[in-house]
């Protein structure tokens, strides 16, 4: 077994790898950028090495810096985690050339699966069914268009170098094809430096089913069953589970068998995932499931597989990288129970899922379920990296039980003032169709309105805040004003109404204290009363006490960049008339795209943004002059 391991990653996955390494007695080395100097993965590792400035391309993405860190700390092996350098065949080769152990597949396997067109060609040859389509040998727009017409609409245009849900366009009709092709190529060139595309039949009622595979350096390959990752937003996974609902033994045998064949075809060593797309219009069927791509690394959602198989996949990775054979044979592996994972993001579903940054003044993940996280209370969410802050994993003897526990866990999430998607996730998991196993990739987009919670507190939350204010030590906690001025109609006799004036954002109300304790949790924080309810956080203050969380924004028509990012598209010109809610520009920050919308009807009076431009936090991007009604 290797004795020391450098983890070329950050956040929850770095912490996850450290946990297993420590249990196995392997010394761990963290690397960190400026922004991560005090991060949890640095605190948890045995040793840590600074690798440069905060932007990933100046630190976590620089292979030479990672190698220098390994040399300086005497690390024997490098685990890349996911994202960053994990699927970079050139980096893997450099690690091997430096006589270090690469915890991952051979560079040749990464390369073979790196481009979607080449991978599909290889899979065709290996007898693995692939999504019907055109692999793009001739990239002329006319030929691509003719192929799309021949496949029949809807089709999906995909960047061959794509990943992370980017570089994909669904085309519903021939007339839209050329526009979609151009925009797909533009995005692919900007994101991946390669604008080649392929065309696929758009599968109806698509379900994302993937299979965990594992190979060792002795020629063994096994699968660890399937996961269903159909709950996606913008082609990115949000909730994953294992096994897949409605999976029968015949389909499982077909898809898991195809996955093993795919891994064998590229001589696979280590952890990998074969992603398939299934046409679930008549349930899962062995002949309606096709290879989509392979991810040659550990996947974000690996915990659900660990939970149903009782295995530690990071331990398997370290054993395999050390030259040991796979810990178990295929016949020794079995599915026990059900597992669900929800990705907790620092983002605000009530504001277009805008990433949310800042200090985690309050951070409590409820329940007794497994939570894989890279942060603790008091830590900072910086704007530089992926906004995923934790994965909540629930298990149960049945799917129903796992869902109940996941919903309960999500509803108990308490995070403030950073915003999270906990309430959104809880609603998705509690949805009756989800419970019934009626999942496909259109689930979230088609239900988005009912899944996004209101940003204003419900009545019960106002009442809870009022009760909590009354019960708390006003004089002590709310020093900024005479507490009794907040109480109106206060009378000493027991059955009188007790009223308290409260403020939430720009909304001030006079609330009658409820006789029965409403549901939820309230905690005082300085002069703020926080109420946590069903995954959301609401901050209340007494009127006149300054502060006042929330609100703000574009009420005066100036749209500032909410965080450092890159302008990727500008949809308006100076002088344009715009309608309330109209898209003004798209900003990319923390790997997510965010649209800035017109706050009201008006005219673009100032425009300081061009596509491709890097902007800092607080930059005035657009000013809208309100129209006289
Ligand atoms: P990425 O590399 O970005 O992960 P994938 O090829 O894995 O790209 O596709 C991402 C998602 O897009 C899938 O999980 C699925 O939801 C959707 N998708 C991909 N191909 C198809 C298809 N042919 N038909 C319908 N949906 C698809
Ligand atoms: P897929 O590419 O099919 O969506 P995953 O679900 O495993 O596969 O997602 C992996 C992606 O998640 C990475 O490629 C990366 O874009 C993103 N990601 C999430 N958290 C992190 C992180 N802490 N560091 C790097 N990448 C991350
Ligand atoms: Mg994928």
């Amino acid at each position: 077994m290797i004795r020391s391991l450098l983890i070329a990653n950050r956040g929850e996955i770095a912490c996850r790898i450290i946990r297993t390494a420590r249990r196995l007695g392997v010394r761990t080395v963290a690397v960190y950028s400026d922004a991560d100097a005090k991060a949890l993965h640095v605190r948890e590792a045995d040793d840590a090495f600074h690798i440069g400035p905060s932007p990933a391309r100046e630190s976590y993405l620089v292979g030479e810096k990672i190698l220098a860190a390994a040399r300086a700390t005497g690390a024997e092996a490098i685990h890349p985690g996911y994202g960053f350098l994990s699927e970079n065949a050139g980096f893997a080769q450099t690690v091997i050339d430096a006589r270090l152990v690469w915890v991952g597949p051979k560079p040749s396997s990464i390369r073979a699966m790196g481009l979607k067109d080449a991978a599909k060609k290889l899979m065709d040859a290996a007898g693995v069914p692939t999504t019907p389509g055109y692999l793009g040998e001739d990239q002329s727009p006319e030929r691509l268009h003719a192929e799309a017409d021949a496949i029949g609409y809807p089709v999906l245009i995909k960047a061959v170098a794509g990943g992370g849900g980017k570089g994909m366009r669904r085309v519903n009709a021939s007339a839209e094809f050329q526009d979609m092709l151009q925009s797909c190529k533009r995005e692919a060139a900007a994101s991946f430096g390669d604008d080649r595309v392929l065309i696929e039949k758009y599968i109806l009622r698509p379900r994302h089913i993937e299979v965990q595979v594992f190979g060792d350096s002795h020629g063994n390959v096994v699968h660890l069953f399937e996961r269903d990752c159909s709950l996606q937003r913008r082609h990115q996974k949000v909730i994953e589970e294992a096994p897949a609902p409605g999976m029968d033994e015949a389909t499982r045998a077909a898809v898991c068998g195809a996955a093993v064949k795919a891994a064998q075809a590229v001589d696979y060593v280590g952890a990998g995932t074969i992603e398939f797309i299934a046409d679930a219009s008549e349930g899962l069927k062995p002949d309606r499931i096709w290879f989509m791509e392979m991810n040659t690394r550990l996947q974000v959602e690996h915990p659900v597989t660990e939970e149903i198989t009782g295995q530690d996949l990071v331990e398997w990775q370290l054993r395999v990288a050390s030259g040991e054979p796979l810990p178990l044979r295929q016949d020794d592996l079995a599915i026990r129970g059900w597992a669900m994972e929800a990705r907790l993001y620092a983002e605000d579903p009530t504001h277009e899922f805008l990433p949310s940054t800042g200090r985690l003044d309050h951070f409590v993940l409820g329940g007794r379920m497994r939570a894989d996280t890279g942060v603790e209370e008091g830590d900072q969410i910086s704007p530089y990296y992926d906004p995923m802050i934790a994965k909540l994993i629930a298990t149960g003897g049945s799917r129903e039980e796992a869902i109940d526990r996941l919903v309960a866990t999500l509803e108990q999430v308490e995070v403030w003032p950073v915003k999270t998607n906990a309430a959104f996730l809880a609603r998705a998991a509690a949805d009756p169709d989800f419970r019934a196993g009626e999942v496909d990739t259109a689930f979230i987009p088609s239900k988005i309105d009912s899944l996004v919670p209101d940003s204003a507190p419900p009545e019960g939350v106002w009442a809870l805040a009022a009760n909590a204010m009354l019960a708390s030590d006003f004089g002590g906690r709310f020093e900024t004003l005479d507490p009794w001025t907040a109480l109106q109609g206060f009378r000493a006799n027991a059955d009188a109404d007790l009223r308290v004036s409260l403020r939430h954002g720009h909304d001030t109300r006079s609330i009658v204290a409820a006789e029965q304790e409403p549901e939820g949790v309230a905690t005082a924080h300085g002069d703020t009363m926080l109420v946590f309810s069903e995954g959301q956080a609401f901050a209340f203050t007494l009127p006149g006490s300054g502060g006042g969380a929330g609100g703000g924004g574009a009420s005066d028509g100036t749209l500032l960049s909410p965080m450092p990012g890159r302008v990727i598209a500008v949809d308006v010109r100076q002088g344009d008339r715009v309608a309330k809610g109209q898209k003004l520009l798209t900003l990319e920050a923390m790997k997510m795209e965010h649209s800035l919308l017109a706050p009201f009807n008006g005219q673009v009076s100032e425009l300081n943004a061009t596509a491709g431009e890097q902007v800092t936090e607080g930059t005035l991007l657009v000013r809208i002059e309100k129209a006289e009604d």
Side-chain angles (χ1 to χ4, degrees):
M1 177 61 93
I2 49 171
R3 280 155 310 178
S4 58
L5 177 68
L6 180 142
I7 299 141
N9 214 301
R10 61 178 305 283
E12 71 85 18
I13 192 61
C15 295
R16 162 73 192 87
I17 295 163
I18 290 170
R19 200 187 329 136
T20 292
R22 167 145 315 142
R23 183 169 59 73
L24 298 176
V26 176
R27 184 173 76 96
T28 54
V29 179
V31 291
Y32 62 95
S33 65
D34 289 347
D36 279 340
K38 295 181 188 149
L40 186 60
H41 75 281
V42 174
R43 305 201 293 273
E44 287 190 340
D46 297 314
D47 201 352
F49 198 84
H50 178 242
I51 50 166
S54 304
R57 58 176 189 291
E58 296 171 45
S59 49
Y60 296 105
L61 284 170
V62 186
E64 303 91 80
K65 292 192 175 181
I66 305 287
L67 285 172
R71 272 192 296 273
T73 57
E76 219 180 308
I78 294 183
H79 193 311
Y82 52 70
F84 294 142
L85 293 165
S86 62
E87 295 184 272
N88 186 319
F91 177 65
Q93 190 58 56
T94 326
V95 170
I96 294 163
D97 292 344
R99 298 183 168 277
L100 296 169
V101 175
W102 167 249
V103 184
K106 294 175 195 159
S108 59
S109 312
I110 301 178
R111 237 174 242 122
M113 290 295 190
L115 295 174
K116 292 185 203 286
D117 56 342
K120 282 180 75 176
K121 224 172 272 174
L122 194 71
M123 291 301 108
D124 276 337
V128 175
T130 61
T131 327
Y134 174 64
L135 294 178
E137 293 83 357
D138 176 354
Q139 285 282 314
S140 70
E142 300 74 29
R143 176 69 189 277
L144 292 168
H145 196 164
E147 293 288 346
D149 287 347
I151 293 165
Y153 296 90
V155 300
L156 196 61
I157 309 175
K158 269 189 197 179
V160 301
K166 275 202 178 155
M168 271 191 289
R169 293 289 184 283
R170 178 181 166 157
V171 189
N172 291 318
S174 187
E176 296 173 359
F177 185 84
Q178 289 300 339
D179 280 356
M180 290 294 194
L181 177 64
Q182 290 321 313
S183 93
C184 186
K185 278 185 169 286
R186 232 180 294 126
E187 184 173 303
S191 304
F192 313 111
D194 181 343
D195 76 348
R196 285 175 300 152
V197 298
L198 58 82
I199 307 208
E200 274 179 11
K201 175 90 194 142
Y202 191 89
I203 305 301
L204 295 173
R205 292 272 341 249
R207 271 177 69 177
H208 176 116
I209 308 267
E210 58 182 38
V211 178
Q212 176 72 54
V213 293
F214 237 103
D216 64 20
S217 53
H218 307 278
N220 305 303
V221 176
V222 297
H223 69 81
L224 289 94
F225 311 103
E226 81 282 356
R227 297 183 283 256
D228 189 308
C229 312
S230 298
L231 260 61
Q232 305 182 347
R233 196 176 77 81
R234 297 182 171 181
H235 302 300
Q236 291 182 51
K237 299 158 190 167
V238 174
I239 293 180
E240 304 101 341
E241 63 182 297
M247 179 64 82
D248 59 86
E249 281 310 321
T251 308
R252 174 171 293 138
V255 71
C256 293
V260 168
K261 223 192 300 184
Q264 282 165 338
V266 291
D267 207 2
Y268 202 75
V269 175
T273 294
I274 317 283
E275 295 191 333
F276 295 86
I277 191 101
D279 168 353
S281 50
E282 293 169 38
L284 294 174
K285 295 266 183 310
D287 57 348
R288 292 203 195 161
I289 184 155
W290 300 277
F291 172 91
M292 206 162 42
E293 65 161 347
M294 179 172 193
N295 290 325
T296 51
R297 53 173 161 85
L298 190 68
Q299 206 100 338
V300 173
E301 57 275 21
H302 75 276
V304 292
T305 299
E306 297 188 319
E307 296 299 330
I308 62 157
T309 58
Q311 301 303 310
D312 178 333
L313 297 190
V314 175
E315 177 176 347
W316 281 45
Q317 286 190 298
L318 298 179
R319 293 200 179 283
V320 164
S322 304
E324 295 181 25
L326 290 174
L328 293 177
R329 285 174 315 217
Q330 192 67 62
D331 291 346
D332 302 326
L333 287 158
I335 298 177
R336 268 203 326 261
W338 217 283
M340 301 259 165
E341 173 186 283
R343 300 189 186 193
L344 189 71
Y345 280 94
E347 65 184 13
D348 184 359
T350 69
H351 287 97
E352 309 270 317
F353 293 88
L354 176 69
S356 180
T357 57
R359 211 180 93 104
L360 291 165
D361 288 335
H362 186 98
F363 183 75
V364 179
L365 301 180
R368 280 166 287 114
M369 289 292 136
R370 172 173 173 184
D372 285 12
T373 180
V375 290
E376 284 179 337
E377 193 164 276
D379 285 352
Q380 202 76 32
I381 305 295
S382 86
Y384 297 103
Y385 315 106
D386 192 282
M388 192 174 80
I389 53 175
K391 303 183 306 203
L392 300 172
I393 300 117
T395 58
S398 65
R399 186 168 185 268
E400 280 285 298
E401 193 175 29
I403 291 178
D404 287 343
R405 289 178 175 167
L406 184 68
V407 173
T409 302
L410 287 165
E411 288 185 343
Q412 286 166 41
V413 166
E414 297 178 14
V415 183
W416 183 82
V418 172
K419 303 276 200 315
T420 77
N421 62 343
F424 169 79
L425 294 169
R427 287 168 175 230
D431 185 280
D433 290 337
F434 179 68
R435 275 186 184 277
E438 292 289 317
V439 292
D440 61 55
T441 61
F443 182 93
I444 287 179
S446 68
K447 288 176 182 274
I448 194 81
D449 291 339
S450 66
L451 299 180
V452 172
D454 202 333
S455 59
E459 296 306 320
V461 166
W462 281 98
L464 185 71
N467 279 19
M469 288 262 193
L470 286 166
S472 74
D473 169 12
F474 273 61
R477 290 194 208 273
F478 300 95
E479 298 164 326
T480 42
L481 84 173
D482 167 12
W484 304 107
T485 61
L487 293 177
Q488 298 153 12
F490 178 83
R491 277 177 287 148
N493 60 7
D495 55 50
D497 278 358
L498 264 184
R499 284 182 166 272
V500 59
S501 285
L502 293 179
R503 190 173 80 183
H504 177 270
H506 295 301
D507 195 4
T508 300
R509 293 196 197 175
S510 174
I511 304 289
V512 179
E515 271 175 30
Q516 266 168 1
E517 198 54 37
E519 289 232 3
V521 184
T523 317
H525 204 282
D527 64 354
T528 302
M529 182 62 74
L530 299 176
V531 176
F532 298 103
S533 172
E534 298 183 348
Q536 271 181 297
F538 300 97
F540 292 88
T541 52
L542 296 177
S545 64
S555 52
D556 62 348
T558 52
L559 286 115
L560 311 182
S561 168
M563 59 193 56
R566 199 167 62 92
V567 177
I568 56 174
V570 180
D571 297 61
V572 291
R573 274 180 302 203
Q574 181 133 359
D576 278 4
R577 299 209 159 274
V578 292
K580 180 179 175 182
Q582 186 179 330
K583 185 153 109 189
L584 305 173
L585 57 85
T586 310
L587 194 68
E588 185 191 60
M590 297 170 87
K591 296 188 167 180
M592 312 280 267
E593 284 181 16
H594 171 68
S595 309
L596 293 190
L597 310 178
F600 35 66
N601 296 342
Q603 193 169 14
V604 179
S605 59
E606 207 176 326
L607 181 66
N608 297 316
T610 39
E613 183 190 5
Q614 204 69 37
V615 292
T616 55
E617 185 174 349
T619 309
L620 195 162
L621 299 172
V622 192
R623 188 193 301 277
I624 307 290
E625 207 68 56
K626 196 167 188 168
E628 303 294 331
D629 307 292

